[in-house]
């Protein structure tokens, strides 16, 4: 049971760098552009202590509302009691990355648009909505040439 309640208490594994990711931060981290309205994931990078978010925000997703030369402002919704509070957190670029949470949706929008245009040219209707997976079709198992087998566990034997 921990007895310290500091700012970085109980973060030994949380802020640990990944396998073969130790050392200096890659320069490509600083070349990624961020714009207001982007959805970003917050993941603290222990190699840079400046501008590091509190451990609560590690692994959270937020929306960029402000961009400065070395940092961005991110809006994160925090559950406090029975409500959500909008928290505005300023985080350096090393601790955030673009989220892939909307990528599947954006791909589906493009796919639906191309299918819609193609269907309009040919004059046919196309199903663009996602359908839930249907139940598996019924099967009949025949016992002809397929005698039922009784399966029993193999008895445990020690060989000493």
């Amino acid at each position: 049971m921990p007895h310290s309640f500091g700012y970085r208490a109980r973060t030994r594994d949380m802020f640990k760098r990944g396998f073969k990711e130790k050392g200096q931060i890659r320069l490509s981290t600083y070349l990624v552009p961020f714009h207001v309205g982007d959805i970003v994931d917050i993941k603290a990078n222990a190699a840079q202590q400046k501008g590091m978010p509190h451990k609560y925000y590690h692994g959270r997703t937020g929306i960029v509302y402000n961009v400065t030369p070395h940092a961005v402002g991110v809006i994160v919704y925090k559950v406090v009691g029975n409500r959500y509070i909008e928290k505005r957190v300023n985080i350096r670029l090393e601790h955030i990355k673009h989220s892939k949470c909307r990528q599947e949706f954006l791909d589906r929008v493009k796919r639906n648009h191309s299918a819609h245009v193609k269907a309009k040219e040919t004059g046919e209707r196309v199903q663009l909505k996602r359908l839930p997976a249907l139940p598996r079709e019924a099967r009949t198992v025949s016992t002809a040439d397929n005698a039922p087998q009784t399966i029993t566990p193999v008895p445990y034997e020690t060989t000493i």
Side-chain angles (χ1 to χ4, degrees):
M1 188 167 134
H3 294 287
S4 61
F5 302 97
Y7 199 75
R8 290 181 62 167
R10 299 180 281 279
T11 59
R12 171 185 263 182
D13 293 327
M14 185 185 294
F15 290 162
K16 188 169 58 174
R17 302 288 305 276
F19 179 65
K20 289 190 176 180
E21 289 181 9
K22 295 174 174 54
Q24 290 186 336
I25 299 170
R26 298 186 186 101
L27 288 178
S28 59
T29 304
Y30 301 100
L31 299 175
V32 178
F34 290 97
H35 304 286
V36 174
D38 286 352
I39 299 174
V40 294
D41 292 332
I42 300 170
K43 183 183 175 189
N45 188 338
Q48 173 64 277
Q49 286 83 38
K50 291 181 181 178
M52 184 183 276
H54 186 265
K55 62 191 171 196
Y56 171 83
Y57 300 104
H58 185 81
R60 307 279 171 171
T61 302
I63 300 171
V64 174
Y65 77 92
N66 185 28
V67 180
T68 62
H70 294 288
V72 295
V74 181
I75 296 174
V76 181
Y77 289 96
K78 182 177 183 178
V79 177
V80 179
N82 61 346
R83 66 200 187 279
Y84 283 96
I85 293 181
E86 179 186 274
K87 305 289 280 189
R88 292 177 179 253
V89 188
N90 294 313
I91 304 171
R92 277 181 77 109
L93 299 174
E94 296 90 336
H95 309 295
I96 61 169
K97 62 180 179 154
H98 283 288
S99 179
K100 295 189 171 114
C101 64
R102 274 178 63 86
Q103 193 58 48
E104 184 180 344
F105 169 72
L106 295 174
D107 293 343
R108 189 162 52 86
V109 168
K110 287 181 184 176
R111 194 169 54 246
N112 284 356
H113 180 69
S114 62
H116 178 70
V117 169
K118 184 178 176 185
K120 194 130 185 158
E121 290 172 356
T122 59
E124 62 184 28
R125 291 183 58 82
V126 64
Q127 175 65 33
L128 298 177
K129 292 184 179 179
R130 293 174 293 172
L131 296 173
L134 297 174
R136 291 178 292 185
E137 66 278 352
R139 295 184 180 92
T140 304
V141 178
S142 172
T143 57
D145 300 328
N146 186 18
Q149 300 175 2
T150 305
I151 299 174
T152 58
V154 178
Y156 177 74
E157 294 180 9
T158 59
T159 54
I160 299 176

